[in-house]
Amino acid sequence: MPNFVTDLTQEESLRQRNTLNLIASENYPSPKCLDLTGSQWSLKYGEGYPGKRYYAGNNLVDELELFVMQKALEVFKAQDEYGVNLQVLSGSVANSLVYLSCLQPQDKILSLSLADGGHLSHMHDTSSWNKFFEHQTYGLTQIGERDWQIDLGEYEAKIAEFKPKLVIVGFSSYPKKFDFVPMCQIAHQHGAMVLADIAHISGLVASGLHSTPFGYGVDGADFVATTTHKTLRGPRGAMLFAKNYRPDYASSLPDKPLIDIVNRTVFPGLLGGPNFAQIASVGQCLLEVLGSEQYPDKLTFGEYSQRVLTNTKLLEKTLKSLGQNIVSPTETHLCLIELKDTYDSLHIQQELESIGVIVNRNTIPGDKKTAWKPSGLRFGMPALTSRGISEDQIVELANIINETIENLSAKHILIERVHNITNKLNWWYDKNISTEETFDLLDDIKFE
Ligand code: DSN
C-alpha cells in the first residue's frame, strides 16, 4: 500500500542527494545527529530546568541537558562568563526571547538593514515586534568598486542619534569578517546592550576562524544567539547564551545574572516543554566539534571549517573570472553576486533549480529592487563541503552556474554535468548500509 508521507520522505532524500546545495544556511549533519532528532528523547516532557522539573521521570533528561550545556560553553570557551539555555528551539525564537528578556514596550532596537545583509528576526518593517518596540537600522559603506563593509563611525553616529537599548550585531548575508569587540564596546559606551547573532558563523567562531563575541569580559556581547544547523553542522535548533552577571550599562534590568533573566523568560515566561531529541542531537554535534566524536569524513571540525572558507573563495574566484560581479570579496562561508540590471533573479534561481543547483536570490547593499526579485544571488559552501566537493568540481560548478545565468548551454547538458558531480559526492544517510560502509564505498570515488 503506497504511503504518501514515507514515499515523499524518500523522494526528498533523493532530491537532496541528487542536487548541489548552495543554500548558505543549510548543511548535512552526521547520521548520528540526524538519528538522534527522531530518538526516544523526543517523547519526554520536562518543563523546567535540571533539578527543577514539573513532571517525574526526568533524571536522565536532567543529565543530558546539563552535559550538553557544559559542552556548549566549552565549544565557545564561554564557561567563565556565560550561561546557556538550550530550550530556545530556533534562531528567530532565541532572538525574540532576548527582546522579551531585556526590553520594555517602546524600547528601541538597532540592527543591520535587511538589504545590507540583516535578518528578518532582527525586527524590520514586517516584524510583529513592531507593535512593541521601536526600530532603526545601520547600513554598510562602500569602500571599493565591489566592496562593502560596516563603517564603525557611522555605526556609532547612528547609536548616538537613536539611543537604542539593544543593538544587534551578526548577520544573515554578509560575506566579510568583522570584529565583535569594537562593535560591542561602542554600543556599551552609549548604554546599549548587545545581542550577537552568530547563527551563520558559529562553526567558524568555534573553529577560531572568525572573531568571537565571547571571552572579552564586559566588552563581549551580552547575549549570544546561534542556530545549530548552519556552519556548526548540527540538527535544526538553537542555543542562547547570556552573561552570568549584570553589567553596569544594563542597570534597567533586575540586579541578576543576565542568564537567569533569560532562563525565566524562556520558561515559564514563553515556552513549554523542551525538545530533548533536539538537545541530544546538539550534544552529538558539539562532541564532533570538540573532536571526541567524528563526522564520517574523518576530518577534524577545524579542517572542515577551513575547507568551507577555501571552497567559498574558489567558487567566488571562478565566478569572477567568468565575468560575474562580486558584491564584496568573501572572507566567510558565503559569497554574493550582483546580477546584471536587466536579469530576473527569481527566474535564474528557478533555472538553476531545474538543473539541480539549489541557491537563493538575495538583496545586496543599496538594492533598489524588491525582496521578491532582488539584485543578487547568494552561494554558501558549508553543505557541499560536508559532501566532500573537490576543487575541480567547484570550478565545474561555477562554470555551470555562469552558463545558466548567461543562458550559454543547453539544459540537458547542464543537467548531465550536475549529475556527474552529485554522483561522486559523499552521501552519508543510506539506511540499508552502515555509516562506515557508506564511507568505505564512497571513499575511492571521492579521491579518484
Ligand atoms: N533564513 C536563513 C538564511 O538563509 O540566512 C536564516 O535564518
Side-chain angles (χ1 to χ4, degrees):
M1 185 82 164
N3 176 327
F4 184 71
V5 175
T6 52
D7 289 353
L8 210 56
T9 305
Q10 179 64 19
E11 258 183 67
E12 172 59 12
S13 176
L14 283 173
R15 185 198 67 79
Q16 291 185 18
R17 185 175 188 155
N18 294 330
T19 52
L20 294 169
N21 182 2
L22 286 150
I23 304 289
S25 48
E26 294 182 10
N27 210 332
Y28 298 106
S30 69
K32 277 190 190 173
C33 272
L34 199 58
D35 285 349
L36 281 162
T37 60
S39 64
Q40 211 75 14
W41 290 114
S42 70
L43 310 183
K44 186 70 198 104
Y45 252 120
E47 282 102 330
Y49 292 103
K52 204 174 169 203
R53 306 278 186 191
Y54 284 80
Y55 298 166
N58 281 306
N59 55 326
L60 296 179
V61 296
D62 277 9
E63 278 187 50
L64 175 74
E65 194 169 348
L66 285 171
F67 178 79
V68 182
M69 285 163 72
Q70 184 200 327
K71 293 297 154 195
L73 293 167
E74 213 179 300
V75 157
F76 292 103
K77 300 180 181 60
Q79 301 95 319
D80 296 339
E81 291 177 85
Y82 292 81
V84 62
N85 189 302
L86 300 174
Q87 303 188 3
V88 291
L89 299 175
S90 79
S92 297
V93 172
N95 290 340
S96 293
L97 283 157
V98 172
Y99 310 156
L100 286 169
S101 294
C102 70
L103 302 177
Q104 295 296 320
Q106 315 316 325
D107 277 349
K108 296 175 180 175
I109 301 178
L110 184 76
S111 64
L112 184 69
S113 84
L114 199 57
D116 287 356
H119 190 251
L120 272 175
S121 69
H122 299 171
M123 297 289 295
H124 303 293
D125 297 347
T126 50
S127 170
S128 300
W129 286 119
N130 281 301
K131 288 181 190 167
F132 301 100
F133 307 122
E134 280 188 52
H135 175 246
Q136 284 194 14
T137 56
Y138 55 97
L140 301 183
T141 301
Q142 189 161 15
I143 56 161
E145 197 195 343
R146 301 228 153 255
D147 201 355
W148 295 75
Q149 73 176 32
I150 296 156
D151 178 311
L152 288 181
E154 286 193 22
Y155 168 81
E156 175 157 22
K158 193 82 206 185
I159 294 176
E161 178 202 325
F162 183 51
K163 300 187 180 26
K165 194 175 263 182
L166 182 72
V167 175
I168 303 177
V169 178
F171 323 111
S172 198
S173 188
Y174 186 61
K176 302 193 71 167
K177 288 184 180 166
F178 59 94
D179 196 348
F180 280 101
V181 172
M183 297 190 77
C184 291
Q185 284 173 329
I186 290 170
H188 294 157
Q189 279 155 17
H190 289 269
M193 290 173 271
V194 173
L195 161 60
D197 183 343
I198 61 168
H200 264 266
I201 55 170
S202 52
L204 305 178
V205 172
S207 303
L209 297 172
H210 193 288
S211 85
T212 173
F214 297 105
Y216 293 100
V218 83
D219 291 336
D222 304 294
F223 307 93
V224 182
T226 184
T227 51
T228 46
H229 49 276
K230 299 186 174 88
T231 50
L232 203 61
R233 199 166 59 181
R236 193 69 183 255
M239 303 189 279
L240 177 54
F241 300 80
K243 279 179 174 157
N244 59 17
Y245 59 96
R246 189 196 68 170
D248 291 344
Y249 49 79
S251 58
S252 60
L253 300 182
D255 190 11
K256 286 182 184 170
L258 300 187
I259 187 65
D260 289 359
I261 300 173
V262 162
N263 285 340
R264 181 94 181 55
T265 309
V266 174
F267 181 85
L270 190 75
L271 302 181
N275 180 351
F276 294 108
Q278 188 185 56
I279 291 172
S281 181
V282 169
Q284 171 66 28
C285 152
L286 296 172
L287 291 176
E288 290 166 16
V289 173
L290 290 166
S292 48
E293 283 280 305
Q294 265 187 334
Y295 193 76
D297 65 7
K298 299 188 169 55
L299 294 177
T300 66
F301 190 73
E303 287 166 341
Y304 161 72
S305 302
Q306 185 56 59
R307 280 191 192 193
V308 171
L309 296 185
T310 312
N311 287 347
T312 312
K313 273 208 174 76
L314 178 60
L315 182 79
E316 178 179 276
K317 186 175 141 209
T318 316
L319 285 167
K320 196 172 165 189
S321 73
L322 293 168
Q324 294 302 326
N325 288 324
I326 301 308
V327 171
S328 294
T330 181
E331 296 167 345
T332 64
H333 63 299
L334 65 86
C335 61
L336 267 176
I337 64 165
E338 177 176 3
L339 295 167
K340 296 184 181 90
D341 196 41
T342 52
Y343 288 16
D344 176 336
S345 58
L346 173 59
H347 176 70
I348 291 171
Q349 177 187 299
Q350 288 164 341
E351 286 297 298
L352 284 166
E353 183 173 13
S354 73
I355 59 160
V357 177
I358 309 299
V359 308
N360 70 280
R361 60 200 192 279
N362 217 99
T363 52
I364 59 168
D367 210 328
K368 302 276 183 297
K369 296 190 179 176
T370 63
W372 187 247
K373 285 189 185 181
S375 302
L377 292 178
R378 186 182 73 161
F379 308 111
M381 288 303 283
L384 287 176
T385 304
S386 291
R387 293 191 67 186
I389 193 165
S390 69
E391 288 184 9
D392 289 349
Q393 288 168 330
I394 294 169
V395 171
E396 168 69 343
L397 171 58
N399 275 280
I400 292 170
I401 292 170
N402 180 61
E403 287 167 42
T404 309
I405 293 173
E406 304 302 338
N407 203 9
L408 298 176
S409 303
K411 191 172 274 194
H412 70 276
I413 293 177
L414 292 170
I415 290 172
E416 200 177 314
R417 284 165 63 190
V418 168
H419 192 62
N420 283 340
I421 302 177
T422 57
N423 243 349
K424 293 181 184 158
L425 293 181
N426 294 321
W427 185 251
W428 309 115
Y429 306 114
D430 297 280
K431 295 286 179 201
N432 50 349
I433 45 175
S434 76
T435 306
E436 215 47 47
E437 283 168 325
T438 313
F439 179 76
D440 291 342
L441 283 175
L442 297 172
D443 201 27
D444 294 338
I445 299 169
K446 184 179 154 198
F447 298 112
E448 79 184 1

